[in-house]
């Protein structure tokens, strides 16, 4: 009985925190900037649509509303959402520590390779449906190690993770190509792709491609929220992101944490690759990572690394991507139009954030007093 | 106490007789109705319902230093921003040389020959002093600057006011004191007649203050007017002729420096008597050694070995004061003993057991608390709410399983805020919103949550107003009485002398002297800090 009331209190205070954060000036400002940015991007997009002679309302209907209209279209949305959400969770861990993990694409590739290796092996065949968790574990491990490379060279050689994760992407893409052309190539087919894996993720409903992956993605988001905002580990990650000097003061070993955080980041992006193989494609093929790597980064930043924010922005981006094909078919506007919208949204947000950020970060740097300047 | 302040004056290379003896003369000047360079009448400015400046009058005459004294939040900065054209006053007038003017922007202020040395210097760091100053010359594009002419003019100003500074090197290579001189040159170059110094000594090491005061003396000797903002009483008494004391946005008194004394000024500033004396706390004997260092060496951020073999024992229940000019290894000593900097040689013992400085965890777990000098970025994460900063450097927060019990954390933080009188809207407030004094109280509360074994305080009262500083000092003494060892780094001699049981002087990364505060003088400590021999002769 006592425990129950305690829990209730806890929930209440957690809710109170969220409310008070929403009331905070900075938070409200950021939210406003994001909404305005989306709106401005759509507005500019509308100009281009008009130039193409397409009614913007029709186009935006297919892009933003249609994906939510029917059962099967929500299913299509969900299979786009899964990898975006998982990648966003993965990179959010890194971004929370001010580590820019731009290597989502490469880590997805590695995850996909891991899943395929297990799924097409004799062991995988014999395990049947049980090959799925094993494949996911392999995917998480592969991608974690891959991302860990960037964390390692950051910690020990001070190499910028922005550069290393991007470069690792190219290597991973080539590695995936090599895999589908040579060792993992389906011996019975002529196209460069792997054989079908032993088991697929079960579908959740009849008449929709929605599969178990979306549940895993949502679970990952919940894990992210709890770890980040309720555990000491998450607290340390956020201290590292908030002020590296304060982290040193608090006795947090930066080198160790950078590696651990990058690996953790890779676990989730790797899962995105595994689920893309096991849920959607059923086999390994080139171009499987698509643009999910960078879309995940956009979702994470758009949602300000906040669990709910990231979820909402992932849904928006997934809708844009799944609606883009319908829009192309119905209105003749290339689906690449969506990339332009995404780019515009990011640009506007960066612009808005730089307007509200504290002054004195430009050329005329404010020299603050004494030791603080050196710090 | 008296003896001590005598000593402070004794170390002055710059004698301030000119200002102090001139008070009779000055009265004559006033009788002759000399026009002030700058005159403010009835300046009022409010922000919402808060009145920051309430009918303020201020006159600055040529050749005099007019100090504006007040606690943090008394309205000094608002007033200066009004003079400098950043804020528009709600009512009141500003006259320059007897003529009413309106100052709408800093550019206007410069046109009216008013200049301001900000606390944060407005310099392009990669440019030399000459280039920084020539930026003022012309803002039309594509017009080549006559660098040689600018240089000649600067050199002339340098000679006139005896300002010795390297004007060719990039500003970022100069020390803080030198950068400040570049700022002064910049103002003189614009032809400023009234120079506002906004807490100029807050950023300077003590020996550079003297050279700043010399320059201010030269400025007034040449007929410039100076407004000197500070809350350091000794400085104000030393260099100014007139003193205006502000409290809660009002002028409580304007008086001649010659008729002012420390105690009187404190009473005016604070509005009541506060006890500036720390009650005597030096009765009990120190306990066991809690932390000791043997041959400790460490490198600073630039990887220069600044700590060069220090042997030190800190006992329970004693305050060890460390004096030294900035950059002589004190910071590295404090950081190494706090476990946040790796030693590059030597040993550290906690309770007689040797520990590795590569494991910060050991230090935190052994209750070694550390109050760093930079409270905004090191002592706290500015973007975190207070209750989350409460957990910083705490390896054992209340938890249920792996989940932090934030409900309890918030309660703890709220209690601390209450008992340490931290003025804030609540535990959800972002730490960046707190004023320096309140943030320092919060960090003190966090550090003293459980009586630590060793409390390391690095410049704990730097930049704080009198009340907050006294509060922090009392807490340090309380901690000591509770049996905690304290290592106190400070640049404030009053603080060092009144708090320390032992005073240790560091120079070039080594301990060059140890004294009992009651058996030494500021002069002797000052000589040791400069690397001089103990008998007072510099080497």
């Amino acid at each position: 009985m006592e425990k129950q009331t305690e829990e209730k209190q806890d929930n209440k205070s957690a809710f109170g925190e969220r409310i008070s954060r929403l009331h905070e000036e900075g938070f409200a400002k950021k939210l406003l900037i994001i909404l305005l940015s989306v709106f401005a991007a759509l507005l500019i997009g509308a100009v281009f649509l008009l130039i193409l002679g397409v009614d913007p309302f029709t186009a935006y209907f297919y892009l933003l509303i249609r994906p939510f209209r029917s059962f099967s279209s929500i299913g299509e949305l969900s299979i786009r959402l899964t990898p975006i959400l998982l990648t966003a969770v993965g990179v959010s861990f890194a971004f929370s520590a001010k580590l820019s993990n731009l290597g989502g694409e490469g880590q997805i590739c590695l995850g996909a390779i891991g899943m395929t290796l297990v799924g097409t092996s004799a062991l995988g065949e014999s395990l049947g449906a049980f090959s799925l968790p094993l494949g996911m574990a392999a995917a998480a491990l592969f991608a974690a190690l891959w991302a860990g490379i960037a964390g390692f060279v950051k910690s020990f050689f001070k190499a910028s993770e922005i550069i290393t994760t991007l470069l690792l992407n190219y290597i991973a893409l080539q590695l995936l190509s090599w895999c589908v052309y040579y060792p993992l190539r389906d011996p019975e087919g002529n196209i460069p792709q792997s054989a079908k894996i032993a088991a697929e993720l079960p579908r959740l409903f009849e008449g929709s491609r929605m599969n178990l992956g979306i549940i895993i993605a949502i679970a990952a988001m919940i894990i992210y929220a709890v770890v980040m905002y309720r555990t000491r580990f998450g607290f340390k990650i956020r201290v590292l992101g908030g002020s590296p000097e304060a982290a040193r003061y608090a006795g947090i070993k930066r080198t160790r944490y950078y590696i651990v955080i990058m690996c953790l980041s890779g676990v989730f992006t790797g899962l995105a690759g595994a689920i893309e193989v096991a849920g959607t494609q059923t086999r390994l093929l080139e171009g499987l990572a698509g643009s999910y790597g960078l879309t995940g980064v956009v979702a994470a930043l758009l949602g300000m690394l906040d669990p709910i924010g990231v979820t909402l922005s992932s849904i928006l981006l997934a809708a844009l991507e799944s609606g883009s094909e319908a829009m192309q078919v119905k209105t003749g506007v290339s689906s690449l139009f969506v990339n332009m919208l995404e780019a515009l949204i990011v640009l506007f947000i960066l612009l808005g954030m730089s307007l509200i950020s504290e002054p004195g970060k430009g050329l005329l740097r404010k020299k603050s007093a004494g030791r603080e300047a050196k710090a | 106490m008296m003896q001590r302040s005598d000593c402070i004056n004794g170390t002055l290379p710059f004698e301030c007789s000119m200002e102090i003896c001139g008070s009779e003369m000055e009265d004559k000047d006033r009788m002759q109705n000399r026009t002030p360079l700058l005159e403010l009448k009835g300046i009022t400015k409010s922000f919402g319902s808060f009145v920051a400046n309430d009918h303020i009058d201020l006159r600055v005459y040529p050749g005099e230093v007019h100090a504006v004294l007040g606690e943090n939040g008394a309205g000094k900065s608002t007033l200066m921003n009004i003079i400098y054209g950043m804020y528009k006053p709600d009512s009141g007038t500003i006259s320059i040389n007897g003529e009413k003017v309106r100052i709408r922007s800093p550019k206007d202020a410069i046109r009216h020959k008013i200049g301001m040395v900000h606390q944060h210097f407005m310099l392009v760091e990669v440019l030399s002093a000459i280039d920084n100053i020539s930026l003022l010359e012309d803002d039309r594009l594509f017009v080549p600057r006559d660098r040689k002419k600018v240089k000649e003019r600067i050199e002339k100003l340098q000679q006139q006011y005896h300002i010795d500074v390297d004007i060719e090197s990039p500003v970022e290579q100069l020390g803080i004191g030198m950068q400040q001189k570049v700022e002064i040159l910049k103002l003189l170059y614009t032809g400023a007649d009234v120079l506002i110094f906004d807490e100029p000594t807050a950023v300077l090491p003590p020996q550079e203050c003297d050279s700043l005061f010399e320059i201010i003396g030269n400025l007034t000797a040449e007929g410039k007017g100076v407004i000197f903002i500070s809350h350091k009483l000794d400085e104000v008494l030393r260099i100014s002729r007139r003193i205006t004391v502000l409290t809660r946005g009002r002028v409580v008194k304007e008086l001649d420096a010659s008729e002012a004394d420390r105690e009187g000024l404190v009473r005016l500033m604070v509005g009541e008597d506060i006890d500036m004396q720390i009650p005597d706390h030096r009765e009990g004997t120190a306990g066991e050694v809690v932390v000791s260092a043997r041959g400790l060496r460490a490198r600073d951020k630039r990887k220069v070995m600044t700590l060069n073999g220090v042997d030190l024992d800190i006992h329970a229940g004693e305050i060890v004061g460390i004096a030294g000019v900035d950059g002589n290894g004190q910071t590295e000593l404090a950081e190494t003993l706090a476990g946040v900097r790796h030693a590059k040689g030597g040993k550290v013992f906690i309770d007689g057991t040797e520990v590795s400085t590569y494991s910060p965890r050991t230090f935190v777990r052994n209750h070694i608390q550390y109050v760093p000098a930079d409270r905004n970025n090191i002592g706290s994460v500015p973007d975190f709410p207070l209750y989350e900063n409460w957990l910083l450097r705490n390896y054992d927060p209340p938890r249920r399983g792996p989940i932090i019990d934030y409900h309890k954390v918030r309660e703890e933080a709220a209690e601390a805020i209450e008992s340490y009188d931290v003025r804030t809207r609540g535990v959800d407030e972002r730490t960046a919103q707190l004023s320096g004094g309140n943030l320092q109280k919060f960090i003190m509360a966090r550090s003293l949550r459980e009586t630590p074994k060793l409390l390391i305080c690095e410049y704990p009262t730097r930049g704080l107003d009198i009340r907050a500083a006294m509060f922090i000092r009392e807490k340090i003494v309380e901690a000591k009485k509770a049996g905690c060892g304290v290592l106190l780094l400070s640049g404030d001699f009053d603080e060092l002398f009144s708090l320390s049981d032992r005073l240790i002087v560091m120079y070039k990364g080594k301990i060059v002297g140890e004294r009992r505060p009651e058996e030494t003088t500021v002069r002797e400590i000052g000589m040791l800090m400069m690397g001089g021999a103990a008998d007072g002769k510099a080497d």
Side-chain angles (χ1 to χ4, degrees):
Chain A
M1 188 61 205
E2 239 181 69
K3 211 175 173 185
Q4 250 184 355
T5 49
E6 222 178 280
E7 262 169 13
K8 249 186 194 165
Q9 256 181 343
D10 226 355
N11 286 341
K12 214 171 142 192
S13 73
F15 184 67
E17 268 162 50
R18 188 157 290 283
I19 294 292
S20 64
R21 262 176 69 203
L22 282 175
H23 275 297
E24 214 184 291
E25 197 184 3
F27 189 85
K29 254 187 201 163
K30 283 181 188 167
L31 198 67
L32 186 70
I33 285 175
I34 287 174
L35 291 177
L36 281 178
S37 303
V38 172
F39 184 71
L42 291 178
L43 212 61
I44 292 185
V47 173
F48 285 95
L49 288 172
L50 285 173
I51 293 172
L52 290 171
V54 176
D55 177 23
F57 290 103
T58 325
Y60 287 150
F61 167 78
Y62 286 112
L63 215 46
L64 295 169
I65 300 174
R66 176 72 191 275
F68 299 97
R69 290 254 295 189
S70 76
F71 195 61
S72 70
S73 67
I74 289 180
E76 290 306 304
L77 177 73
S78 85
I79 62 170
R80 301 271 179 171
L81 179 58
T82 305
I84 293 178
L85 204 54
L86 278 168
T87 314
V89 168
V91 298
S92 290
F93 271 111
F95 275 100
S96 296
K98 287 254 164 71
L99 278 173
S100 306
N101 177 7
L102 303 182
E105 196 178 353
Q107 290 146 29
I108 290 173
C109 290
L110 263 289
I113 292 171
M115 186 76 200
T116 314
L117 267 180
V118 173
T120 56
S121 68
L123 179 71
E125 295 288 344
S126 64
L127 281 174
F130 291 104
S131 70
L132 288 172
L134 188 66
M136 284 189 198
L141 182 71
F142 276 31
L145 291 177
W146 194 254
I149 296 172
F152 179 81
V153 292
K154 163 100 178 166
S155 282
F156 290 98
F157 305 104
K158 299 212 166 88
S160 161
E161 77 286 0
I162 300 180
I163 309 282
T164 51
T165 50
L166 273 176
L167 292 180
L168 283 169
N169 281 349
Y170 296 115
I171 302 174
L173 282 172
Q174 296 303 319
L175 187 67
L176 189 140
S177 291
W178 178 73
C179 280
V180 295
Y181 274 98
Y182 303 105
L184 291 177
R185 187 168 188 158
D186 186 359
E188 285 151 36
N190 292 321
I191 335 165
Q193 60 180 27
S194 78
K196 264 195 164 195
I197 55 166
E200 282 174 44
L201 282 174
R203 299 221 168 140
L204 295 179
F205 307 104
E206 281 293 319
S208 152
R209 289 217 286 162
M210 188 184 284
N211 61 43
L212 192 67
I214 188 71
I215 307 281
I216 295 174
I218 291 168
M221 182 51 86
I222 293 169
I223 290 172
Y224 169 74
V226 172
V227 167
M228 225 48 198
Y229 294 96
R230 284 289 174 272
T231 67
R232 269 205 68 68
F233 178 67
F235 178 77
K236 286 179 179 175
I237 295 178
R238 286 185 296 128
V239 172
L240 262 174
S243 164
E245 284 291 322
R248 197 167 69 93
Y249 165 77
I252 298 167
K253 285 193 167 178
R254 207 187 316 187
T255 45
R256 181 188 296 170
Y257 269 82
Y258 278 170
I259 298 173
V260 170
I261 292 165
M262 280 310 280
C263 288
L264 187 65
S265 186
V267 164
F268 290 95
T269 45
L271 278 180
I275 290 172
E276 188 64 13
V277 169
T280 313
Q281 312 287 0
T282 71
R283 49 166 44 111
L284 188 67
L285 43 109
E286 276 188 295
L288 164 137
S291 58
Y292 291 133
L294 286 178
T295 311
V297 172
V298 174
L301 296 182
L302 205 60
M304 299 186 296
L305 308 180
D306 179 272
I308 292 176
V310 175
T311 309
L312 291 178
S313 54
S314 296
I315 293 173
L316 171 73
L317 292 168
L320 284 177
E321 301 221 334
S322 75
S324 66
E325 276 153 32
M327 180 186 72
Q328 183 167 5
V329 172
K330 300 280 178 182
T331 65
V333 179
S334 161
S335 62
L336 292 176
F337 175 72
V338 171
N339 294 6
M340 188 190 88
L341 278 186
E342 283 173 17
L344 281 171
I345 292 173
V346 173
L347 275 179
F348 277 117
I349 287 174
L350 289 177
L351 183 73
M353 294 295 176
S354 74
L355 286 180
I356 63 158
S357 74
E358 283 143 50
K361 281 187 178 164
L363 188 59
L364 270 168
R365 241 183 306 154
K366 273 194 184 174
K367 183 97 186 177
S368 50
R371 252 182 61 75
E372 282 168 34
K374 284 179 238 156
Chain B
M1 190 69 206
M2 266 315 285
Q3 195 191 356
R4 218 174 285 143
S5 43
D6 281 345
C7 296
I8 293 176
N9 286 332
T11 54
L12 304 185
F14 164 62
E15 298 296 327
C16 25
S17 52
M18 180 189 74
E19 278 91 356
I20 293 165
C21 307
S23 75
E24 266 175 52
M25 285 259 303
E26 181 198 318
D27 288 343
K28 263 182 215 157
D29 285 348
R30 281 174 200 277
M31 272 185 272
Q32 283 165 5
N33 265 338
R34 205 158 49 123
T35 25
L37 277 173
L38 173 71
E39 182 172 21
L40 306 184
K41 262 194 193 148
I43 293 289
T44 303
K45 173 78 187 172
S46 39
F47 299 99
S49 60
F50 174 70
V51 185
N53 281 171
D54 189 0
H55 293 92
I56 290 184
D57 298 334
L58 185 76
R59 279 181 301 277
V60 184
Y61 288 91
E64 79 174 23
V65 177
H66 195 127
V68 177
L69 195 61
E71 293 254 75
N72 292 344
K76 293 170 296 187
S77 304
T78 309
L79 187 65
M80 294 311 125
N81 282 329
I82 287 172
I83 300 175
Y84 202 54
M86 313 260 242
Y87 293 152
K88 188 174 162 283
D90 300 337
S91 63
T93 58
I94 302 176
S95 315
I96 287 173
N97 291 321
E99 267 176 60
K100 271 190 198 172
V101 293
R102 267 176 187 223
I103 302 176
R104 290 187 194 83
S105 66
K107 228 175 184 170
D108 259 8
I110 292 169
R111 211 159 44 81
H112 291 300
K113 310 206 162 190
I114 298 171
M116 181 143 155
V117 177
H118 296 266
Q119 256 184 56
H120 306 286
F121 304 144
M122 307 289 183
L123 296 170
V124 184
E125 298 199 331
V126 292
L127 297 183
S128 68
I130 301 178
D131 293 329
N132 262 293
I133 291 171
S134 69
L135 287 178
L136 303 165
E137 184 67 10
D138 201 318
D139 48 17
R140 270 174 300 172
L141 274 175
F142 308 121
V143 177
R145 298 201 174 88
D146 192 345
R147 198 166 186 276
K148 219 167 136 195
K149 219 166 107 193
V150 175
K151 190 179 169 186
E152 273 166 21
R153 263 186 72 189
I154 297 174
E155 278 167 351
K156 223 167 118 194
L157 286 170
Q158 280 187 290
Q159 277 167 14
Q160 192 181 355
Y161 297 99
H162 308 286
I163 303 176
D164 190 17
V165 60
D166 175 3
I167 56 173
E168 292 281 2
S169 308
V171 170
E172 61 188 353
Q173 289 175 11
L174 306 176
I176 295 275
M178 287 295 160
Q179 294 192 6
Q180 194 173 49
K181 287 178 187 169
V182 174
E183 281 279 314
I184 297 172
L185 273 176
K186 215 167 104 181
L187 301 187
L188 292 172
Y189 190 90
T190 63
D193 281 334
V194 178
L195 287 94
I196 305 170
F197 288 83
D198 185 6
E199 303 205 15
T201 57
V203 297
L204 293 182
Q207 70 278 23
E208 294 203 28
C209 292
D210 292 335
S211 102
L212 171 69
F213 295 155
E214 247 176 273
I215 291 174
I216 291 180
N218 299 336
L219 292 172
T220 48
E222 296 274 332
K224 304 275 183 193
V226 169
I227 301 180
F228 185 80
I229 303 170
S230 179
H231 54 239
K232 291 188 189 162
L233 300 169
D234 294 321
E235 290 170 9
V236 166
L237 285 168
R238 186 172 145 190
I239 70 162
S240 50
R241 181 184 285 191
R242 297 286 294 171
I243 300 173
T244 292
V245 183
L246 292 186
T247 306
R248 274 176 238 113
R250 285 195 195 147
V251 176
V252 277
K253 184 141 189 184
E254 189 189 335
L255 69 170
D256 253 31
S258 55
E259 59 199 39
D261 60 46
R262 262 181 82 93
E263 281 69 32
L265 287 177
V266 170
R267 214 170 301 133
L268 286 172
M269 276 165 76
V270 182
E272 65 193 68
D273 280 304
I274 70 161
D275 196 1
M276 283 288 286
Q277 294 291 340
I278 293 286
D280 192 32
H281 55 88
R282 294 198 185 95
E283 307 141 9
T285 46
E288 302 271 295
V289 176
V290 281
V291 171
S292 49
R294 288 288 171 270
L296 200 60
R297 295 158 63 79
R299 295 196 297 208
D300 71 355
K301 282 196 187 82
R302 301 161 299 156
K303 309 252 179 213
V304 178
M305 195 69 89
T306 45
L307 189 62
N308 284 310
V310 161
D311 295 325
L312 181 65
D313 287 319
I314 304 163
H315 300 80
E318 76 163 345
I319 301 179
V320 181
I322 304 257
V325 177
D326 262 5
N328 277 287
Q330 315 92 301
T331 304
E332 287 69 34
L333 175 66
E335 289 186 346
T336 314
L337 290 183
V340 301
R341 180 171 291 282
H342 304 158
K344 292 289 168 198
K347 291 171 180 174
V348 177
F349 300 87
I350 300 177
D351 285 336
T353 316
E354 190 182 341
V355 294
S356 158
T357 54
Y358 281 82
S359 166
R361 184 176 285 262
T362 318
F363 289 79
V364 182
R365 286 229 186 273
N366 270 298
H367 299 298
I368 291 181
Q369 283 294 353
Y370 172 38
V371 178
D374 181 350
R375 34 188 177 264
N376 296 312
N377 286 307
I378 301 180
S380 64
V381 182
D383 265 339
F384 278 12
L386 279 177
Y387 73 88
E388 289 212 295
N389 267 314
W390 181 252
L391 291 179
L392 209 60
R393 212 178 154 83
N394 175 359
Y395 280 0
D396 196 21
R399 287 180 286 192
R400 269 182 277 156
I403 306 294
I404 298 177
D405 185 353
Y406 270 109
H407 188 66
K408 211 156 174 197
V409 172
R410 292 162 67 91
E411 266 174 16
E412 277 180 21
E415 265 169 44
I417 284 172
E418 178 94 28
S419 67
Y420 275 71
D421 189 31
V422 180
R423 307 271 165 84
T424 164
R425 276 179 295 169
V427 290
D428 288 310
E429 183 150 40
R430 267 175 72 233
T431 310
Q433 313 276 26
L434 256 63
S435 72
N438 281 319
L439 181 53
Q440 193 70 327
K441 283 183 191 173
F442 178 78
I443 291 174
M444 263 326 244
R446 187 181 66 199
S447 304
L448 296 174
R449 184 173 31 110
E450 296 159 348
T451 305
K453 202 168 275 174
L454 174 67
L455 175 70
I456 300 171
C457 292
E458 197 185 345
Y459 304 99
T461 60
R462 189 186 261 177
L464 300 193
D465 63 37
I466 295 175
R467 258 174 218 272
M470 287 310 291
F471 185 89
I472 300 288
R473 286 173 199 160
E474 276 163 20
K475 288 294 172 193
I476 292 174
V477 171
E478 260 176 43
K480 167 209 157 154
K481 281 185 177 159
C484 158
V486 179
L487 185 70
L488 172 70
L489 273 63
S490 180
D492 182 329
F493 284 116
D494 262 355
E495 185 168 287
L496 280 176
F497 273 81
S498 61
L499 291 182
S500 313
D501 293 294
R502 290 192 283 148
L503 258 175
I504 281 170
V505 185
M506 287 187 65
Y507 178 68
K508 291 199 172 159
K510 287 196 169 129
I511 293 177
V512 291
E514 181 179 334
R515 299 283 184 278
R516 300 222 148 249
E518 57 274 20
E519 290 161 5
T520 185
T521 58
V522 170
R523 187 193 183 94
E524 190 190 17
I525 297 295
M527 292 308 291
L528 287 168
M529 279 167 65
M530 304 301 284
D535 59 3
K537 281 178 202 141
D539 57 6

